[in-house]
Amino acid sequence: MVVGTQAIDVDTLIIGSGPGGYVAAIRAAELGQKVVIVERDFIGGICLNVGCIPSKALIQAGHLYATLQHGNPFGVTVGESKLDFAKTQDWKQHQVVEKLTGGVEMLLKKHKVEIVRGEAYFNDNETVNVIDGDDSHIYRFKKALIATGSRPVEIPHFKFSGRVIDSTGALNLKSVPEHLIIIGGGVIGAELAGAYMNLGSKITIIEGLDHILNGFDGELIQPVLNNFKKNGVDIITEATAVEANQTDKDVTVTYEVDGTTKKVTGDYCLVSVGRRPNTDQIGLNNTDVKLDKRGLIEVSDSMQTSVKHIYAIGDVVAGPALAHKASYEAKVAAAAMSGEDAHDKHYVIPAVAYTNIEVATVGETPQTVAEKKLDAKSSKFPFAASGRAMTMDQTEGFIRLVTDNPTGAIIGAQIVGPEASDLISELTLAIENGITIRDIELTIHPHPTLGEEIMDAAEVAAGLPIHI
């Protein structure tokens, strides 16, 4: 090993180049800092390389293939449809992932951010050792930001190997499995279930809770469940995965449900039961950075750790493990590290599941209203009454507003249906800015659009519905 014994002095050291790290690096550079960013794997992190982006590429391909396979009501015929999955994977990797990660690397270089390859380990509160193969260099920093993300949880008797795969493995299969078994019906499991269902796989989901898509309420996910059932997906809830036994051709999963031991055999078993923060292998035990019992780094609302010149963001701190949360926190941390009086002042964070029928939520829900005993109500407008949804042949689902009774302010919103992932942004903006149902009513929305149904939902909330 070649060891650099002389420490290299840097102003700002950022560990991890995912949607938290690279955003922080660019913003810190814009604010005048000289930045070094350390990355052990891929520029862009999990999200751009083996997470958010490639999964949406496969989901999009699945939507198109399913439409062509099952026909459509539009009178459009294109002949026999075939799937060249190798070409799909090639497009996903070279035309989507590599273009985005290449763009991020270009932006880092444009802002004169130095990219250092290797794994970072804290020696103490002031220095980090970066190891890349046989090379090792010590960096002494004035400020540091930890943005090391998270990794899939591995459960007993389901070691990631061969036909037992994590989400990264599921995104990089060489062929579409005839039968994909998924342990864990959370967002990642449900999204990949929908993608491979549309690409032609038989899907079995084994979930420990009494429902899938934890974090979304039962009414909201019902259209998703109906769609899964319609497409032959088996969902087994309140079940415990026991073990996996592989051959060179398949994998058999043993599970327990209702006190009975059962087995199911498929081509692959995807284990998607959650993620854990990458804080246990970066030498934090050599520092005074405090962690909670879950291994998350404790931070202030300026993203500052217990060591005043070390900051942390994203999946390594409390809150949902979402890329957009990490990017938001990155801007707060970069400003704080630049000496600004910056604080995390967000009120709500939207969450989306890109299932075959999309689901999105932000702010309060009927359940939290009941739990908190808020003086609020829920109002819904169905996509079945939307002219635009009809023209798209996507009328399942609804928009639901949760509004404060005394003021009429929108304090929560949920959407299940077409383009829920895009529509939720207007409602997030509304909540953050205290916008009322009256404000939405008086805002002219273009017709015919899906977005105008937010206006229709506001009219329902006001007791003055036009279209239902």
Side-chain angles (χ1 to χ4, degrees):
M1 177 180 287
V2 179
V3 179
T5 55
Q6 184 68 37
I8 302 169
D9 289 314
V10 299
D11 290 337
T12 302
L13 184 74
I14 295 176
I15 304 171
S17 72
Y22 86 72
V23 169
I26 291 171
R27 179 54 53 85
E30 289 174 335
L31 295 174
Q33 298 181 53
K34 187 174 181 180
V35 182
V36 172
I37 192 165
V38 180
E39 175 54 58
R40 70 177 183 181
D41 294 319
F42 331 97
I43 297 297
I46 295 296
C47 180
L48 266 66
N49 289 273
V50 290
C52 325
I53 296 299
S55 64
K56 304 312 169 286
L58 285 190
I59 288 168
Q60 189 65 29
H63 281 313
L64 177 59
Y65 182 62
T67 299
L68 295 175
Q69 281 288 98
H70 301 146
N72 58 72
F74 308 120
V76 178
T77 304
V78 294
E80 183 182 1
S81 58
K82 296 181 180 179
L83 176 66
D84 184 341
F85 195 58
K87 189 173 182 179
T88 303
Q89 290 285 35
D90 182 76
W91 163 75
K92 180 203 75 177
Q93 186 62 32
H94 300 298
Q95 298 301 315
V96 179
V97 171
E98 290 178 7
K99 280 189 176 181
L100 284 172
T101 56
V104 169
E105 187 164 357
M106 179 193 70
L107 288 171
L108 290 170
K109 291 177 178 177
K110 177 183 176 182
H111 287 85
K112 297 182 171 53
V113 174
E114 181 184 349
I115 300 171
V116 174
R117 301 284 182 170
E119 294 194 55
Y121 298 88
F122 283 88
N123 295 325
D124 49 44
N125 289 335
E126 313 291 338
T127 61
V128 161
N129 191 22
V130 179
I131 300 172
D132 183 21
D134 292 332
D135 293 333
S136 175
H137 296 281
I138 296 173
Y139 289 83
R140 183 186 297 112
F141 53 84
K142 293 180 182 177
K143 294 183 176 68
L145 173 68
I146 302 167
T148 48
S150 61
R151 64 186 185 274
V153 170
E154 196 171 55
I155 58 177
H157 311 298
F158 287 85
K159 181 178 176 60
F160 295 134
S161 177
R163 293 182 177 274
V164 177
I165 56 178
D166 60 9
S167 55
T168 299
L171 289 168
N172 290 287
L173 293 174
K174 300 298 182 184
S175 60
V176 175
E178 289 188 18
H179 188 179
L180 177 63
I181 303 165
I182 301 175
I183 298 176
V187 170
I188 295 174
E191 287 183 351
L192 291 175
Y196 277 105
M197 172 190 81
N198 283 333
L199 290 168
S201 297
K202 165 66 181 174
I203 304 292
T204 299
I205 300 174
I206 299 173
E207 168 59 51
L209 298 175
D210 63 359
H211 61 283
I212 65 169
L213 289 170
N214 191 36
F216 300 94
D217 64 76
E219 183 183 38
L220 196 62
I221 68 171
Q222 193 58 52
V224 179
L225 296 176
N226 293 343
N227 184 261
F228 274 150
K229 183 178 180 180
K230 176 183 174 182
N231 286 280
V233 174
D234 289 332
I235 301 176
I236 304 162
T237 56
E238 297 183 277
T240 302
V242 177
E243 65 176 356
N245 292 292
Q246 302 184 46
T247 69
D248 59 348
K249 294 181 179 179
D250 56 31
V251 56
T252 298
V253 172
T254 302
Y255 63 95
E256 294 180 356
V257 61
D258 294 330
T260 303
T261 299
K262 297 186 177 183
K263 297 178 186 289
V264 60
T265 299
D267 299 75
Y268 290 94
C269 172
L270 162 62
V271 179
S272 180
V273 295
R275 301 182 66 84
R276 66 179 59 199
N278 290 327
T279 56
D280 55 338
Q281 298 173 350
I282 57 174
L284 289 178
N285 55 304
N286 298 323
T287 74
D288 294 313
V289 172
K290 292 182 180 179
L291 284 74
D292 67 15
K293 61 183 180 181
R294 296 174 295 167
L296 296 169
I297 298 172
E298 297 179 1
V299 292
S300 70
D301 64 0
S302 294
M303 313 316 298
Q304 189 177 48
T305 72
S306 52
V307 178
K308 65 179 182 179
H309 61 280
I310 300 177
Y311 295 73
I313 60 172
D315 292 6
V316 298
V317 303
L322 299 169
H324 45 279
K325 167 182 169 288
S327 295
Y328 174 85
E329 292 171 342
K331 297 168 190 175
V332 174
M337 290 191 294
S338 298
E340 296 184 10
D341 186 24
H343 303 275
D344 179 355
K345 295 181 179 179
H346 81 270
Y347 179 52
V348 290
I349 300 175
V352 176
Y354 293 82
T355 36
N356 206 37
I357 298 176
E358 291 184 353
V359 185
T361 184
V362 64
E364 304 293 350
T365 68
Q367 287 69 27
T368 62
V369 164
E371 291 165 3
K372 298 176 182 179
K373 298 181 179 178
L374 301 177
D375 184 6
K377 67 177 181 180
S378 300
S379 308
K380 292 191 303 181
F381 187 86
F383 282 112
S386 165
R388 182 67 180 117
M390 290 181 189
T391 67
M392 299 167 67
D393 191 40
Q394 296 181 46
T395 56
E396 299 100 334
F398 55 83
I399 295 173
R400 182 172 68 201
L401 302 184
V402 181
T403 52
D404 177 64
N405 281 326
T407 65
I410 299 170
I411 59 174
Q414 291 76 47
I415 305 173
V416 55
E419 300 183 18
S421 56
D422 289 323
L423 295 173
I424 202 68
S425 292
E426 178 180 342
L427 292 164
T428 303
L429 180 67
I431 297 169
E432 285 287 349
N433 290 276
I435 288 174
T436 68
I437 52 176
R438 184 65 173 160
D439 295 324
I440 295 290
E441 279 187 277
L442 294 175
T443 300
I444 299 174
H445 288 64
H447 173 79
T449 62
L450 297 173
E452 71 180 322
E453 312 319 342
I454 293 174
M455 178 180 67
D456 281 312
E459 290 175 346
V460 174
L464 297 167
I466 298 294
H467 292 112
I468 59 169

